[in-house]
Amino acid sequence: MMESPKQIVKQTDYQGEVKADWCPGCGNFAQLTAVKMALADLGIEPHNVVVVSGIGCSSNFPEFIRAYGFHGLHGRSLPVASAIKWVNPKLTVLAYGGDGDGFFEGTQHFYHTAKRNVDITYMVSDNQIFGLTTGQASPTSELGMVTKTTPEGNIEPPVNPLLLALSAGATFVARAFSGDPKHIADITKKAIEHRGFSFIDVFSPCVTFNKLNTYDYFRKRVYKYEPEDPEDFAVAYKRASEWGDRIPIGIFYQKSEPTYADRDPVLSKVNLRESPYYKLKEQDLEEFL
Amino acid sequence: MMESPKQIVKQTDYQGEVKADWCPGCGNFAQLTAVKMALADLGIEPHNVVVVSGIGCSSNFPEFIRAYGFHGLHGRSLPVASAIKWVNPKLTVLAYGGDGDGFFEGTQHFYHTAKRNVDITYMVSDNQIFGLTTGQASPTSELGMVTKTTPEGNIEPPVNPLLLALSAGATFVARAFSGDPKHIADITKKAIEHRGFSFIDVFSPCVTFNKLNTYDYFRKRVYKYEPEDPEDFAVAYKRASEWGDRIPIGIFYQKSEPTYADRDPVLSKVNLRESPYYKLKEQDLEEFL
Amino acid sequence: MNDREVVIRVSGAAGDGVQSAGQIIAKSFSRKGMNVVTYNYYQDIVRGGTSWYQIRASSDPVRSQGDGLDIVIALNKDGVQRHTNPDIDEGGASPLSKEGIVIFDKSIQGYEEHGQRYVPMPLSDIAMKYSNNALMRNTVAIGAAMASINLDFETLAGVIGDQFGSKGKIADLNVNAAKEGYDYFKKNQEPLKKNLSFGTKPKYLVGGGDAIGLGFVSGGMKFYAGYPMTPASSALMYFANHASKFDIVLKIPEDEISAINMAIGANYAGVRSATGSSGGGFSLMVEAVGLAGMLEVPLVIYEAQRPGPSTGLPTKTEQGDLNLVLGAGQGDFPRIVLAPRNVKECFELGREAMNLAARYQTPVFVMVDLYLSEHYETVDSFDLDFKIDEGKIAGDNQENFRRYEDTEDGISPRAFPGQPGLMHNEDSDEHNEFGQVVSDAVTDPRERVKAMNKRMRKMETYRKNMPPTYTYKFSDAEYAVVQWGSTAGVVEEAVDILRNKGIRVGAIEVTHVFPLNHDIGDLVRGKKKIIVVENNYGGQFDRLLRSELLVRTEPVRKYDGESFYPGQLAEEIEVVIRGGK
Amino acid sequence: MNDREVVIRVSGAAGDGVQSAGQIIAKSFSRKGMNVVTYNYYQDIVRGGTSWYQIRASSDPVRSQGDGLDIVIALNKDGVQRHTNPDIDEGGASPLSKEGIVIFDKSIQGYEEHGQRYVPMPLSDIAMKYSNNALMRNTVAIGAAMASINLDFETLAGVIGDQFGSKGKIADLNVNAAKEGYDYFKKNQEPLKKNLSFGTKPKYLVGGGDAIGLGFVSGGMKFYAGYPMTPASSALMYFANHASKFDIVLKIPEDEISAINMAIGANYAGVRSATGSSGGGFSLMVEAVGLAGMLEVPLVIYEAQRPGPSTGLPTKTEQGDLNLVLGAGQGDFPRIVLAPRNVKECFELGREAMNLAARYQTPVFVMVDLYLSEHYETVDSFDLDFKIDEGKIAGDNQENFRRYEDTEDGISPRAFPGQPGLMHNEDSDEHNEFGQVVSDAVTDPRERVKAMNKRMRKMETYRKNMPPTYTYKFSDAEYAVVQWGSTAGVVEEAVDILRNKGIRVGAIEVTHVFPLNHDIGDLVRGKKKIIVVENNYGGQFDRLLRSELLVRTEPVRKYDGESFYPGQLAEEIEVVIRGGK
Ligand SMILES: Cc1ncc(C[n+]2csc(CCOP(=O)(O)OP(=O)(O)O)c2C)c(N)n1
Ligand SMILES: Cc1ncc(C[n+]2csc(CCOP(=O)(O)OP(=O)(O)O)c2C)c(N)n1
Ligand code: SF4
Ligand code: SF4
Ligand SMILES: [Mg+2]
Ligand SMILES: [Mg+2]
């Protein structure tokens, strides 16, 4: 839970200078709106927000929101986001990126950041394709899918990002769909409020390169799901494995665990951004005598 | 299952020129013996075996066995091993390395290689420490463990390698203990015979730097486990999560699935090592006219 | 205006089909036996922005996108204004010539005029007759453009038919739309005053990436592992589309680190393989380059440059990765760097790289840039004969096999898993002739020195076998222009311009970038000035040259993301020659 | 034999406690106010093999491990033979001098003698009195060695006490064992003919890695992210052991890529941070170096070299990563490379690097090698006063804040998350002054040029503020020896040797390696020969020097994994001067 009293923050306070230049109809617009809604609703001021991204269409996100932005390297948003949060816990840190970014190039960071329970929110724009590089198969492309790089059909079994997050030990695991920005916003609010690593996989249609997993495709399949006991790992795991005609969206799992910073002897008590520089003293050299 | 008729191969055929220079008592000796036993028992000839490793004490393994060896980079054994198997499916390919190698630096390859179901065997010498670099915390070091790098106790929750393999989609998941080389050998035989990605996590005491997870520690805890239905994922997942006073070892999960090469239009029909070079013809240029 | 050639530019936003329109035009010319070079100016955005595609087609040989512009097809108002304005700055591209025409939809209005011929047309109206959206207006405009230079409609119709071939009816609709555009222009406008002579034998129109693909396959490559990254992806796409046909394998793994390690694994197992990326992705391969060097595993690396630092300008061109490639991997080990000058050479050096890697058992780089890998050129013919050189390979069953035998030429016999009686270990730790590690118990400083000397000796062997360096109009040159890789064509055209002005300048064209051929030292000796042309800020090649030759050089550099243009380059060279700047 | 100094070597297998024995000896000398340099010769193996640890202690200043050897403590037979044999080749290390002594257990027999004094002793017998294994024999031998040079036993007892201090009784047992060894020697042997003068003020005995750690902390570092790798780990260990004390954080993440991105994230958020590795691990950081360059985020990178290629010789020394560091990251961007010459300078340049990074907002490398990072030197005092330079930082709440303002010195104001009214985006794509991307819709070649010029201008500003290059005995030198980093001490001692022979040679010592200070050009002008000394095969620094200065240089290189030794080096320099080779 946030400790500071809520400010009156308007969604328009998050309006960026640069107009989002995604293709008209791109799923990312929904997430942009949803994130702004959530942040405003939570009364978090733009200067206390950092959005960190990788490389991909989705990763252009920080350019389009009025906050602190860090548009880094393909696959590398999470280490950057983790460190920012550690050194200044007052900040609200959101990592955002694509499925290629997060589940190919960045798999390793995804797994370990989740395991560490770093107190950040990670939202993936999962369009099951490489968008920015114009339509190659991605780690979540379905088996058999024809893409630029798989003219005879994709042969890599797709990653199930929720299962990966769960088995890594993520303490907040959710899924949403760009067709319903309000729902994304609701989940995002809870994710930000959650103390620990929150993961939201968003089905985000790429209207230009993915002609299979369209808005229609998902509208026909997704339904909202709410677990009776969000701490029941086995149920979460089973539900997250569901795929096919019916695909659940919602918060699958949530549990309170110490964060990485809670367990660190220094981070748990010091805000490094605000702490004084350590001044070496003669005594510090005594060990060398 | 191997198709070729079994040769008479002796364990000594695998005796390397270089004597293993691990510390006396090191767990790796057991795995070296077990692998030789398994290969000899299966009648596989040394020249058809490739052992690929990363960097770490464990990764020195290929130097000590008479076979083809590839001692590469920290964390990178699996991409190398995958490609070797793909281009020459006649070979028996074994990847071997440490917990740091496989579950830190190489996590991403581990996950994706398992997901692809590449037909190789991956054995990890899991000593819950960085051995070669003389005793830093590893990804499987227990919470609170004091090591060189964690003088106040380890704060990273340990990786559970079996869960990671299972959620990635590995089709053969096992665990063994250096205290019982014969058991390792039995599992290794089945792993090699398994068509698909086989993973064996071996508790392999580092007698020099890990004073916590010793032979004694494991002798008190491990017990042999055999699932009724090795294809039951949920049971496997649950059993693999067991930890504490009683720790199961054995084959947790095994299932037959198409391998990556089975699904690839070219690899499924061509041995690239033996196929002729493609000779470009004038017709191949017609598309440019 | 050169009346033996025509330069056409299609301009619009991303998503407007600019590139495919440009390619239809280019192919129409190549089928008519003309020489074609294309240029692609686009942004890192899928929809919107400003992009254009230029086609230079000539009855004479052409070596760059050239100066001059005869026809603009503008798909929006920005295009009309941008390309007709003489103060244009698109990184050196020419504005529309005085006699040129600009074709656009008649709904576009309120643009500033600059004296050229403005041709508003009912592009959308015609398009809407054949399609339910206006995208087909490109096709209509192409028809008009082809009419303006009297290219026969049948050729264009053939190309359009092939382009939309798979879609049957769509092809017909497009052909008809183009015909209406063609006829409209004929009826309402005068043709351009051109004197183009069309040939009869169609030429190949090939992209740099395709040529790399063809070259690697021709050189025996069977396995390519790469992760998509502009501008290395054009070659990757070639493999994707031809894997089953050639029985080769393209693997796109989780990341570049995996890709290069896979390529090394395949090569180790005896299958020719390669990997590739652009600077950012290649950065992740740096560690494994040294692995290949140490294990002496052949490895071809395709490095396609784009402007950095970091993500930089992903759809622009630059020659800024040479330092990266030369520095890749800790320690010293042999490496070879090749840089093709044009599309045809992408093919030739691509396959040569495969042989060099096998012969010298070390990393061999083929460096291009976005300009070369994404542009198209006509090629008259490809020599498809090629002798695969397997390098030194051991015969089965040898006692005490020495994988790293300390030979005179530094090259030792390879052995592949599956070969009986040659079992050995290849090790990233320093090792002796048998492959046994000398960094542990048996350490010996002398063994280390021996191993280093053996590996590095391969470079001496290679240097002895290097081809002589190319020159252009060099025998009587007073001034030497030195270039590497893709700038060769534009440099040659700039040299021609300067020669026409009576300046005795000639070019040294470096395709074998590292190690540098010592003959360059002889070539530059006595020249009044040595001018090094590079498409980057820092003069990365210049630094290499200076450290080898110890001579003063004068830089001509461009780092705005675009290629050099011949006229612009000639001017800059002249300034240097005249002592200015 | 220099009677003002003593050189002791402890030799045994890995696991025999060679290193800790060596450190007890070294500390005994530093407490007596002597000048000490140590040298560590070991293998990449945890048990077994051959390793040794050398301590040179002098009443006069010392700058390297030196030539000469007075006392060998041999823990096995190999040690007895290896170090007494005059034909020894341990990479340049001296064999035991004629007057020297070798101390070993009396059970060792059958060794060849070479004329020195052999001192078999009941080391194990004594040890077994105090312990149930023979490991304590080291302590006994140390006692004997200290007796041989008449060092008072109290000093030794103090050091042993501190070393085993936490273990109470163990400390006493060790002290007693040492005493028996001490007394045994006194009783049965003549002391060495030495004329050591012990001081009264103890000196600090500090390792290179410790000094880096101290320097970074003194420079304001609060966050270090790294993945263990020899020889960068000695600094990492310093942070591990002092994190809570200094309220700093050490994070060891899953890999080096994560480490460098974390360090960048922390710096971006306004907390001074650093990362580090050796060549192999640093290779994985290459992509992110360019990210820091592009975002203009300060970043200190500690690069500790060991011999490559690839895994190479993990426990040996080399200066082979300069090409890698200079080439790290595609494209051109500002970078600064510092190379401390000795332990004290690790401290000074370590903290200077922190300020430089903040001031120039770009990657700053501190390059050492295994030799420097893992050896120990005495230091008289550290200047603990230091002014943290925060660089340019924006005040809160600015309209249209320009994070990348195009200033005259190229340096723009930073702003940190949490500051009101300065929200902006830092982007790896090329961007304008506001941080807005210019690689998409708004692309403009001129914006690109402006952005490149602004960033690179920082290097011009830096060049103007560089300290002058260090020289040694240079004013009247006819021959210039140029070195960089850790070889300074040995080069100075070699210069002294040559000067004593009447050869007028002087040294140029480069600590600020990149960009090179132009004053070096003035320094070398007119010298008869420019001799570049490097601990690598390829002459990586030499290449940089030549490309900058365009002068002929003569190489003296060593790449057997060991450091230069002064006598050996002086000889090689002399050969070059006499025109030989
Ligand atoms: C290290 C590296 N490798 C490759 C690329 C090229 N690249 C840019 S975006 C991208 C993938 C985009 O897919 P995704 O992450 O799913 O994002 P999307 O565009 O679909 O939102 C790739 C491969 C890169 N920029 N850096
Ligand atoms: C890229 C890279 N990073 C770091 C290292 C240094 N290093 C060598 S072995 C090792 C860890 C060893 O631990 P583990 O993998 O568990 O193997 P073990 O020695 O315990 O068998 C490390 C970090 C390296 N060689 N390469
Ligand atoms: S290409 Fe796809 S993901 Fe990218 S902006 Fe367009 S619709 Fe969105
Ligand atoms: S350090 Fe540990 S893992 Fe390494 S060889 Fe010794 S016992 Fe085995
Ligand atoms: Mg995507
Ligand atoms: Mg380990």
Side-chain angles (χ1 to χ4, degrees), chain B residues 21-23 25-28 57-58 127 131-132 205-209, chain D residues 46-47:
Chain B
D21 57 12
W22 292 304
C23 307
C26 173
N28 283 299
C57 289
S58 41
N127 56 13
L132 192 64
C206 169
V207 296
T208 305
F209 296 111
Chain D
V46 178
R47 293 269 175 274

Side-chain angles (χ1 to χ4, degrees), chain B residues 18-279:
Chain B
V18 177
K19 213 176 132 268
D21 57 12
W22 292 304
C23 307
C26 173
N28 283 299
F29 286 105
Q31 286 91 268
L32 181 58
T33 307
V35 165
K36 289 180 187 169
M37 277 167 63
L39 289 167
D41 275 10
L42 290 169
I44 302 170
E45 291 175 285
H47 70 269
N48 286 322
V49 173
V50 187
V51 186
V52 182
S53 69
I55 297 292
C57 289
S58 41
S59 291
N60 293 341
F61 188 109
E63 298 181 58
F64 310 138
I65 187 165
R66 192 169 155 269
Y68 283 91
F70 186 109
H71 185 191
L73 298 173
H74 188 53
R76 314 302 172 192
S77 63
L78 292 176
V80 173
S82 297
I84 293 171
K85 180 69 184 183
W86 287 334
V87 303
N88 189 353
K90 287 187 180 164
L91 302 171
T92 297
V93 181
L94 175 77
Y96 189 86
D99 41 331
D101 193 74
F103 314 140
F104 260 176
E105 192 82 71
T107 322
Q108 185 147 323
H109 310 310
F110 179 35
Y111 179 82
H112 286 281
T113 309
K115 188 167 71 62
R116 271 174 210 133
N117 201 26
V118 183
D119 185 19
I120 59 177
T121 298
Y122 180 38
M123 188 185 289
V124 170
S125 164
D126 189 352
N127 56 13
Q128 298 163 268
I129 200 87
F130 280 8
L132 192 64
T133 46
T134 71
Q136 298 85 354
S138 94
T140 50
S141 294
E142 294 185 18
L143 270 177
M145 183 174 179
V146 172
T147 70
K148 265 198 189 167
T149 44
T150 57
E152 299 179 55
N154 177 34
I155 64 168
E156 284 260 349
V159 170
N160 181 325
L162 303 199
L163 294 192
L164 180 49
L166 284 169
S167 59
T171 54
F172 183 107
V173 177
R175 188 195 273 146
F177 165 45
S178 301
D180 188 348
K182 180 71 184 51
H183 187 234
I184 309 178
D186 289 343
I187 292 179
T188 306
K189 268 162 69 176
K190 291 187 185 135
I192 292 172
E193 286 185 314
H194 177 75
R195 268 190 102 258
F197 186 74
S198 350
F199 171 61
I200 313 169
D201 191 46
V202 186
F203 293 137
S204 175
C206 169
V207 296
T208 305
F209 296 111
N210 189 335
K211 306 292 184 191
L212 176 64
N213 310 102
T214 59
Y215 285 98
D216 256 15
Y217 176 98
F218 288 111
R219 279 217 184 86
K220 278 198 202 114
R221 287 169 173 83
V222 299
Y223 70 94
K224 282 188 192 148
Y225 160 68
E226 227 173 291
E228 272 175 40
D229 175 7
E231 298 199 12
D232 190 328
F233 183 87
V235 169
Y237 206 91
K238 198 155 157 258
R239 278 308 190 122
S241 314
E242 265 180 42
W243 195 262
D245 287 351
R246 304 266 300 152
I247 306 174
I249 59 175
I251 300 167
F252 288 65
Y253 184 73
Q254 181 168 12
K255 195 174 180 183
S256 174
E257 295 271 2
T259 66
Y260 183 84
D262 291 340
R263 285 191 304 262
D264 185 274
V266 174
L267 292 175
S268 56
K269 60 179 214 291
V270 182
N271 178 321
L272 293 179
R273 171 75 190 121
E274 294 171 357
S275 66
Y277 293 112
Y278 184 80
K279 183 130 185 30

Side-chain angles (χ1 to χ4, degrees), chain A residues 56-58 97-101 124-132 136 138-140 204 206:
Chain A
C57 289
S58 40
D99 41 330
D101 194 74
V124 171
S125 164
D126 189 352
N127 56 13
Q128 297 162 269
I129 199 88
F130 280 8
L132 192 64
Q136 297 86 354
S138 93
T140 50
S204 174
C206 169

Side-chain angles (χ1 to χ4, degrees), chain C residues 31 76 103 162 213 489 566 580:
Chain C
R31 288 225 179 139
N76 55 26
I103 297 168
D162 289 354

Side-chain angles (χ1 to χ4, degrees), chain D residues 196-255:
Chain D
L196 305 176
S197 64
F198 299 117
T200 48
K201 190 165 180 288
K203 289 183 197 279
Y204 299 117
L205 183 71
V206 189
D210 297 322
I212 289 286
L214 283 167
F216 283 4
V217 170
S218 174
M221 190 206 77
K222 295 182 192 171
F223 183 87
Y224 186 90
Y227 189 85
M229 185 160 194
T230 308
S233 296
S234 51
L236 188 138
M237 287 310 304
Y238 185 81
F239 301 126
N241 292 325
H242 297 79
S244 276
K245 189 165 172 204
F246 298 156
D247 273 348
I248 62 171
V249 170
L250 164 67
K251 176 63 205 153
I252 300 184
E254 58 277 16
D255 58 28

